[in-house]
């Protein structure tokens, strides 16, 4: 989102994180802005019974943590690496100073927050539908349209069945059963456990 060379010029550091590392916890102070050079990070809440509520998966060249810096200064989610990652991080005070110095950053950050809000409202409406196939079909269609979490070279869905369950509130068993039915209806393909969507998308 923000040019990496600008972040480095303003004092960002590059760090490596292994899979499964927690970058920050829900309700912790927002002391850094983060931007992925490679890898994936998921943003989630965890319920008292241990269940995970998946809000977003951050991919390479995307940033996260700015919302908490600009709001109350406290993170609303927990950030966990989903794969080995290389991350640029810059302190919240330097991030704010950059925003004050470069007007174009305000537009970039505002557009990102608006996209995330739009997606969150889309998910709330989708989940209230409570029809598993329609939930999955619309979610995959939306991700593909946005060129997020769907490989643009091979059309593989880059989310596990567990992550789909955590994102939609459906049971994993429901996800599996629904996907098998969608495969029978030629709405997707399952090859060696990987899910692929048709080249022309899901109707």
């Amino acid at each position: 989102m923000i040019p990496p060379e600008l972040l480095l010029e303003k004092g960002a550091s590059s760090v490596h994180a292994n899979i499964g590392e927690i970058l920050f916890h829900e309700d912790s102070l927002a002391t850094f802005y983060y931007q992925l050079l490679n890898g994936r990070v998921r943003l989630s809440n965890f319920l008292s019974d241990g269940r995970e509520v998946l809000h977003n998966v951050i991919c390479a060249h995307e940033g996260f943590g700015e919302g908490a810096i600009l709001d109350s200064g406290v993170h609303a989610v927990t950030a966990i690496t989903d794969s080995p990652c290389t991350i640029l991080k810059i302190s919240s005070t330097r991030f704010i100073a950059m925003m004050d110095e470069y007007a174009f950053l305000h537009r970039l950050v505002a557009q990102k927050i608006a996209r995330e809000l739009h997606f969150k409202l889309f998910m709330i409406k989708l989940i209230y539908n409570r029809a598993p196939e329609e939930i999955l079909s619309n979610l995959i269609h939306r991700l593909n349209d946005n060129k997020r979490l769907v490989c643009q070279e091979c059309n593989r869905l880059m989310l596990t069945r567990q992550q789909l369950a955590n994102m939609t509130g459906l049971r994993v068993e429901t996800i599996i059963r629904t996907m098998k039915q969608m495969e029978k209806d030629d709405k997707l393909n399952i090859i060696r456990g990987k899910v692929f969507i048709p080249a022309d998308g899901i109707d």
Side-chain angles (χ1 to χ4, degrees):
M1 185 178 66
I2 298 174
E5 59 273 14
L6 179 58
L7 288 169
L8 291 168
E9 177 187 331
K10 296 301 180 180
S13 58
S14 177
V15 297
H16 179 78
N18 294 316
I19 185 170
E21 289 193 28
I22 295 177
L23 302 176
F24 53 77
H25 287 275
E26 178 182 356
D27 295 327
S28 64
L29 291 177
T31 52
F32 291 97
Y33 165 78
Y34 302 82
Q35 191 159 298
L36 277 181
L37 295 181
N38 56 62
R40 300 202 319 176
V41 172
R42 67 185 193 273
L43 305 181
S44 301
N45 292 123
F46 292 87
L47 306 182
S48 58
D49 60 5
R51 285 181 296 161
E52 180 177 351
V53 180
L54 177 60
H55 296 289
N56 198 3
V57 177
I58 307 299
C59 300
H61 312 302
E62 296 178 344
F64 58 102
E66 72 286 342
I69 293 173
L70 297 174
D71 183 22
S72 61
V74 175
H75 291 293
V77 294
T78 296
I80 310 165
T81 56
D82 223 21
S83 68
C85 299
T86 304
I87 307 166
L88 290 179
K89 55 187 288 190
I90 189 167
S91 71
S92 55
T93 53
R94 290 185 176 182
F95 177 77
I96 293 294
M98 284 177 56
M99 295 279 290
D100 291 338
E101 184 177 356
Y102 299 98
F104 79 94
L105 292 182
H106 286 275
R107 185 180 184 88
L108 284 178
V109 171
Q111 287 175 331
K112 178 178 181 289
I113 292 173
R115 284 194 301 269
E116 290 175 349
L117 176 59
H118 197 183
F119 183 74
K120 179 57 63 178
L121 294 174
F122 164 80
M123 286 300 300
I124 291 171
K125 177 182 177 182
L126 198 62
I127 291 168
Y128 269 93
N129 178 64
R130 297 189 180 278
E133 183 168 331
E134 191 167 343
I135 289 173
L136 283 179
S137 294
N138 281 283
L139 175 57
I140 295 171
H141 182 78
R142 180 66 170 259
L143 293 173
N144 191 43
D145 280 353
N146 291 345
K147 295 180 171 56
R148 294 201 75 250
L149 302 172
V150 175
C151 176
Q152 296 303 298
E153 295 179 358
C154 68
N155 291 329
R156 180 165 70 91
L157 180 64
M158 308 293 286
L159 290 169
T160 67
R161 289 154 180 80
Q162 183 64 63
Q163 288 175 329
L164 287 168
N166 293 343
M167 185 176 285
T168 61
L170 298 170
R171 293 169 57 86
V172 174
E173 294 80 4
T174 304
I175 297 287
I176 293 171
R177 185 173 60 251
T178 303
M179 283 189 159
K180 286 181 178 178
Q181 184 60 50
M182 292 173 69
E183 184 181 32
K184 289 180 181 178
D185 296 338
D186 295 325
K187 294 183 176 180
L188 51 78
N189 298 307
I190 302 174
I191 303 172
R192 297 176 184 170
K194 306 296 184 182
V195 178
F196 296 83
I197 67 173
D200 55 353
I202 293 180
D203 293 331

